[in-house]
């Protein structure tokens, strides 16, 4: 019997990925990949589609900082049947939006049956600031990280085992060029980098699953909205996908926990393949997995704003034009079928030269 | 604690083969690494964009 085939799907957030750079538009890739992989480890940017999501029983929803630690071999993943999700709300969220988010959480409890603790409001506005770097990637900082961490500590003390954060983001200017491009399926998500910083802070500090949904005032109706961006304009919050993902997100194992090993625990050495956009190989998780010798598939048509292909770093890659091809390569790999055998020609075996032994002279 | 954005340049030729450890050590001169990535590579020069946290700032 073969061990479970474990795949990691990485699509960095905030880098304008042609697939996965918008509103949950890499979820179809994850759904297809999860039919080939026995276990698919991926992250919120891939699985979150605002009010849309798709429960994949064999997918592990792992926040980016935790994924980096997992890939480095420092943390393991322990699947769970459920988490009790704590909800952290930025004090800066306007009253009407705060109520919308609480209603979304109550809806997730009533309609999906999710377990949640009571919510926590941060003791100060978090002060989210957005930034676009020279590479074109979006980043962000927050002015009051300690307030976020105090709120997280309160929710954990109340019994939360995973944390959903809703931070207030600067109001969008509908005429802003970057926003216009994003709504039309081009350019870079201006919020994504800051969102990642928020969840990274919580995961680094508390080693629990965490994901973020921004609080944003609704935008004016745009009849030319791109399908890839449409999921974020269905309603008042992006929270439902986050709550659904966190409700079954694996817990992190590592030096911070003294648990005894369990059969379902996952560590980096169990990863069989990783799939990454072809020009975004400079992230921590990708570098760690490549260094471990994990077979890595580079997907060419998922372009990003970055310019870090595997050959620029001297890393070996299996090249695929598309995710369709990558999934085919995974199927062959899982079946133990040589990729060369799938092509129209196969060169004959050649003799290997055996080194000639020199006579031993005392 | 504050969060700060920064960029740094890494010479891949002298960075050894464990770039994660090398980059995080370089970032620790500025704070505790939170999120980073190599975002461009020109020859042997890699640009790293990062957010670090700084205690007491």
């Amino acid at each position: 019997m073969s061990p479970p085939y474990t795949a990691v799907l990485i699509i960095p957030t905030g880098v304008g990925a042609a697939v996965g750079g918008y509103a949950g538009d890499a979820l179809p890739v994850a759904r297809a990949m999860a039919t080939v992989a026995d276990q698919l480890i991926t992250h919120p940017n891939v699985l979150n589609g605002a009010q849309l999501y798709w429960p994949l029983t064999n997918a592990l929803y792992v926040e980016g900082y935790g994924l980096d630690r997992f890939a480095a071999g420092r943390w393991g993943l322990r699947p769970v049947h459920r988490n009790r999700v704590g909800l952290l709300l930025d004090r800066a969220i306007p009253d009407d939006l705060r109520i919308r988010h609480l209603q979304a959480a109550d809806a997730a409890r009533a309609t999906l049956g999710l377990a949640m603790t009571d919510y926590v409001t941060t003791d100060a506005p978090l002060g989210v600031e957005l930034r676009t770097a020279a590479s074109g990637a979006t980043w962000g900082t927050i002015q009051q990280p300690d307030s976020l961490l105090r709120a997280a500590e309160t929710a954990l003390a109340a019994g939360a085992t995973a944390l959903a954060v809703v931070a207030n983001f600067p109001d969008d200017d509908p005429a802003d060029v970057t926003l216009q491009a994003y709504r039309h399926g081009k350019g870079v998500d201006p919020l994504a980098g800051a969102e990642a910083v928020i969840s990274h802070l919580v995961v680094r500090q508390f080693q629990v699953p965490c994901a973020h949904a921004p609080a944003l005032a609704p935008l004016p109706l745009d009849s030319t909205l791109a399908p890839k961006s449409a999921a974020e304009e269905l309603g008042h919050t992006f929270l439902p996908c986050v709550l659904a993902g966190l409700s079954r997100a694996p817990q992190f194992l590592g030096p911070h926990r003294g648990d005894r090993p369990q059969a379902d625990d996952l560590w980096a050495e169990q990863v069989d393949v990783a799939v990454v956009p072809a020009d975004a190989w400079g992230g921590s998780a990708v570098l760690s997995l490549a260094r471990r010798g994990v077979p890595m598939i580079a997907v060419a048509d998922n372009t990003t704003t970055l310019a870090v292909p595997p050959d620029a770093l001297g890393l070996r890659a299996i090249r695929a034009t598309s995710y369709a091809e990558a999934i085919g390569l995974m199927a062959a790999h899982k079946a133990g079928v040589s990729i060369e055998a799938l092509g129209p020609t196969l060169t004959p075996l050649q003799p290997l030269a055996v080194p000639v032994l020199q006579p031993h002279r005392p | 604690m504050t969060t700060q954005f920064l960029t740094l340049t890494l010479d891949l030729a002298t960075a050894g083969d464990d770039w994660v450890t090398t980059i995080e050590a370089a970032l620790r001169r500025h704070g505790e690494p939170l999120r980073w990535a190599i975002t461009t590579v020109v020859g042997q020069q890699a640009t790293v964009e990062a957010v670090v946290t700084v205690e007491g700032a």
Side-chain angles (χ1 to χ4, degrees):
Chain A
M1 199 165 102
S2 300
Y5 188 77
T6 302
V8 175
L9 171 60
I10 297 174
I11 303 178
T13 191
V15 298
V19 180
Y22 301 93
D25 59 306
L27 186 46
V29 173
R31 288 187 59 198
M33 207 170 270
T35 65
V36 173
D38 296 309
Q39 303 176 110
L40 177 66
I41 299 167
T42 189
H43 51 107
N45 183 55
V46 170
L47 295 174
N48 285 352
Q51 304 211 28
L52 299 182
Y53 53 89
W54 193 274
L56 295 166
T57 54
N58 61 336
L60 295 164
Y61 182 90
V62 181
E63 192 276 339
Y65 187 89
L67 189 57
D68 290 348
R69 286 292 171 267
F70 168 78
R74 297 179 190 173
W75 292 4
L77 304 175
R78 175 166 292 172
V80 300
H81 292 297
R82 72 154 203 186
N83 288 309
R84 181 176 291 277
V85 183
L87 177 62
L88 314 183
L89 300 177
D90 182 352
R91 178 161 292 280
I93 299 172
D95 277 351
D96 56 341
L97 264 182
R98 182 178 57 82
I99 292 167
R100 294 284 190 192
H101 283 87
L102 291 172
Q103 289 172 343
D106 277 339
R109 294 170 61 223
T111 306
L112 305 179
L114 303 191
M116 297 189 66
T117 63
D118 288 329
Y119 69 95
V120 183
T121 303
T122 61
D123 54 21
L126 293 178
V128 174
E129 296 175 316
L130 308 181
R131 175 189 295 270
T132 299
S135 65
T138 59
W139 295 80
T141 51
I142 63 171
Q143 294 172 349
Q144 299 291 341
D146 291 316
S147 179
L148 172 64
L149 298 180
R150 284 192 292 273
E153 196 164 24
T154 302
L156 293 169
T161 57
L163 297 170
V165 182
V166 182
N168 193 56
F169 273 58
D171 279 346
D172 288 321
D173 172 4
D176 178 78
V177 174
T178 304
L179 177 62
Q180 285 285 347
Y182 179 74
R183 295 181 86 189
H184 294 96
K186 298 172 188 164
V188 182
D189 180 348
L191 312 183
E195 293 194 81
V197 164
I198 289 167
S199 58
H200 277 42
L201 261 172
V202 172
V203 174
R204 189 184 74 181
Q205 182 73 22
F206 298 107
Q207 299 88 42
V208 295
C210 177
H212 175 266
L216 291 164
L219 290 165
L221 182 65
D222 181 347
S223 61
T224 63
L225 195 66
K228 279 177 168 281
S229 303
E232 290 178 358
E233 305 211 11
L234 300 180
H236 301 276
T237 89
F238 301 177
L239 189 56
C241 63
V242 166
L243 297 177
L246 288 173
S247 71
R248 290 173 61 89
Q251 290 290 324
F252 297 116
L253 302 171
H256 56 280
R257 287 174 59 137
D259 308 67
R260 296 170 62 181
Q262 293 184 6
D264 292 336
D265 292 348
L266 267 170
W267 292 87
E269 53 263 37
Q270 291 160 261
V271 174
D272 292 293
V273 68
V275 184
V276 183
D279 57 11
W281 279 53
S284 176
V286 176
L287 294 175
S288 292
L289 292 171
R291 187 165 184 263
R292 287 179 168 276
V294 171
M296 310 284 290
I297 300 176
V299 179
D301 71 1
N302 195 5
T303 55
T304 74
T305 61
L306 305 183
V308 190
D311 48 348
L313 298 171
L315 301 175
R316 293 182 60 186
I318 305 162
R319 297 182 187 281
T321 303
S322 65
Y323 282 106
E325 186 180 345
I327 292 166
L329 292 169
M330 286 172 56
H333 187 220
K334 180 183 179 184
V337 172
S338 166
I339 302 302
E340 292 78 16
L342 299 178
T345 59
L346 197 60
T347 55
L349 293 177
Q350 300 296 314
L352 290 170
V354 178
V356 177
L357 288 177
Q358 298 297 321
H360 177 68
R361 293 181 180 171
Chain B
M1 181 195 296
T2 60
T3 55
Q4 295 181 4
F5 174 82
L6 60 94
T7 62
L8 58 82
T9 303
L10 183 74
D11 185 349
L12 296 175
T14 60
D17 64 348
D18 184 355
W19 292 335
V20 172
T21 300
T22 302
I23 291 168
E24 292 189 348
L27 290 172
R28 281 200 178 89
R29 294 186 206 123
H30 305 274
E32 190 59 25
L34 184 63
R35 183 172 188 253
W36 59 264
I38 299 173
T39 54
T40 54
V41 180
V42 178
Q44 291 295 304
Q45 299 296 306
T47 300
V48 176
E49 295 175 358
V51 171
V52 300
T53 56
V54 180
E55 289 294 338

